[in-house]
Amino acid sequence: MSSRTGAASLPAFTERPSPLLPSTPVGRQLQWLCEASDRLPVPDAERHAHTSLTSLSLPAGLRVESFRAQPRQAERQAYAVLRDAQGDRHHVVLETDPAGRIRALRRTPIPRTWAELGDLVRGLAPRASFLATEIDRDGRIRPVYGVAPTTRRPIGSAMALYVLGALAHAVGQGRLRWDEPLAVRDAWKTDLTSSVGSVPDGTMLSLRRYADDAIFSGDASAIDHLLGRLGRGAVEAQQVRFGHAQVGANLPFLTARETTQLKVHPRMGEEYIAADGPRERLGYLRDVVARLPRPTEFPDEPRLTDSVEWFASPTDVSRAFAGLVRQAATQPAVGAVLGQQGTASLGLDAGRWPVGWSKNGVEPGVVTENFLAGTQSGRTFVVSLMVTDPDPVRPLDLDATRAALLAGAAGAFTLLTS
């Protein structure tokens, strides 16, 4: 059962409730979906007028329970929790095209019990883990329900939680400042289309700006600029401070560029794996990988997901969030960075859940969704979900997997307070 001792004090980023169904393309189309669900089936001509979808399946009597717009894309992407005529709840991801018609719609039933949630997660991939936990007033995690919660999984760009923690630690010690400028460098770029990667070399950006992009979009170039300024040893040490139980799996702590290069050149990835211990691997990164040019391609199938990665369990991620809560108590920037998207993708009512943090990690074969949410009464919960499938022949459908995990997380937060 969930602890009732209350949540740790969380002077962090507070979300502002979104108005229900604003007059935006996604708001208007969601309103239409609810109206159309009262007069099923939807005529083809009407469906074509509102969507580019080849088919549309809706339960009867849909009503909006909560609505959240996607930050930075508020007109064209939104999330909602809907309730149908039978009382069942559905998580919805809705996107519109430039003409305002629905181009993507994913509707996933929200689990009603922990058993249903466990079945959902296990059914997504052969390797799955999950944990729902409460952070008590002493900053300890109190597990409530989990599936293989201590099993190590690849986490992709969710490793930025440890980079952010190392940055906050350095700021707390007075060695760095959030507003400290750092020049953009080609050697620390991975994807030239990303927010930081597209900025001309030599441009001065603040450490806070790099942190924002690292957390909001998993910008590999932003992450590597922070790693370059901090040093990988600082991030390795932060894992220990956050209570990561399997730090050795992340030694040396790879940069995003190194990881991409090793996956693009899998022979080198195998050589790196075969190196005898962290010291030899570090030498391989310095003497071989550092000489490679910046990647210009990115694998579209799972590669080396069990070896060339960053690893953590849902329990490790929950502890990291607890550590970030402690840092946010004296550094509000931590909560502001983590709260950029908050719990918007879950469609949670920001009035009931005024505090929300999030960081996901998505790449071929790997999806992890991690959330912290705080209630009006001051309780704080963390939900971490991880699924992995290294099969390159039948790879994970990343969008469908994400939608299912978001529905699972939305259900978990409801169950945590029931």
Side-chain angles (χ1 to χ4, degrees), residues 1-338:
M1 297 295 292
S2 170
S3 168
R4 300 290 173 179
T5 58
S9 177
L10 194 64
F13 181 80
T14 299
E15 299 189 9
R16 305 172 74 179
S18 299
L20 282 180
L21 303 187
S23 183
T24 59
V26 288
R28 290 190 291 271
Q29 294 296 5
L30 186 58
Q31 181 67 48
W32 170 76
L33 282 174
C34 291
E35 293 171 354
S37 73
D38 288 333
R39 42 186 171 76
L40 299 174
V42 179
D44 287 344
E46 183 179 357
R47 172 170 57 82
H48 287 309
H50 286 270
T51 85
S52 58
L53 306 176
T54 57
S55 63
L56 182 64
S57 175
L58 297 174
L62 289 174
R63 296 293 181 267
V64 178
E65 182 176 299
S66 58
F67 171 91
R68 300 288 297 279
Q70 165 70 9
R72 305 187 192 180
Q73 300 178 39
E75 299 240 328
R76 293 189 177 179
Q77 185 171 8
Y79 309 91
V81 174
L82 307 182
R83 191 180 294 271
D84 65 24
Q86 303 300 315
D88 293 326
R89 301 166 74 232
H90 306 259
H91 176 270
V92 169
V93 183
L94 188 150
E95 297 179 25
T96 57
D97 60 24
R101 295 197 308 164
I102 298 172
R103 70 177 180 188
L105 175 66
R106 292 194 179 275
R107 177 181 57 82
T108 309
I110 293 175
R112 296 164 295 184
T113 66
W114 290 119
E116 286 185 9
L117 179 50
D119 289 343
L120 170 68
V121 175
R122 281 187 290 259
L124 291 173
R127 305 177 187 180
S129 293
F130 159 71
L131 180 64
T133 187
E134 182 167 11
I135 302 176
D136 67 19
R137 293 192 180 279
D138 296 322
R140 294 171 298 192
I141 64 170
R142 302 288 189 184
V144 177
Y145 185 87
V147 171
T150 61
T151 300
R152 185 180 77 197
R153 306 284 184 203
I155 60 172
S157 66
M159 59 80 163
L161 292 172
Y162 296 99
V163 178
L164 178 63
L167 173 60
H169 180 76
V171 171
Q173 289 191 322
R175 293 187 287 107
L176 297 178
R177 303 188 320 275
W178 289 101
D179 62 354
E180 177 182 313
L182 177 66
V184 174
R185 305 184 191 183
D186 180 73
W188 293 343
K189 287 183 178 180
T190 302
D191 181 1
L192 295 185
T193 66
S194 71
S195 179
V196 170
S198 62
V199 173
D201 294 351
T203 303
M204 303 299 289
L205 302 177
S206 69
L207 297 182
R208 168 65 187 275
R209 161 66 189 277
Y210 289 113
D212 280 341
D213 288 335
I215 296 297
F216 184 85
S217 61
D219 186 326
S221 298
I223 291 170
D224 282 358
H225 278 73
L226 292 176
L227 269 166
R229 180 66 180 89
L230 291 161
R232 73 176 90 226
V235 182
E236 292 165 353
Q238 191 60 42
Q239 293 178 102
V240 177
R241 283 189 288 268
F242 277 172
H244 195 301
Q246 305 170 77
V247 173
N250 296 325
L251 297 179
F253 196 93
L254 292 165
T255 68
R257 179 160 167 163
E258 289 166 345
T259 302
T260 303
Q261 288 167 324
L262 290 170
K263 289 177 183 285
V264 168
H265 303 282
R267 180 185 61 80
M268 291 185 177
E270 297 293 345
E271 290 176 353
Y272 170 78
I273 297 164
D276 186 16
R279 186 180 298 275
E280 283 199 13
R281 289 186 177 185
L282 193 59
Y284 189 87
L285 294 175
R286 181 187 62 245
D287 299 335
V288 179
V289 179
R291 300 178 185 274
L292 295 173
R294 181 181 58 251
T296 58
E297 60 177 303
F298 302 89
D300 57 6
E301 76 282 341
R303 289 189 187 176
L304 304 173
T305 56
D306 292 332
S307 51
V308 178
E309 260 291 344
W310 306 274
F311 298 95
S313 70
T315 299
D316 293 325
V317 169
S318 299
R319 289 175 181 151
F321 271 121
L324 289 160
V325 166
R326 293 190 294 271
Q327 291 179 320
T330 57
Q331 297 184 61
V334 173
V337 169
L338 287 164

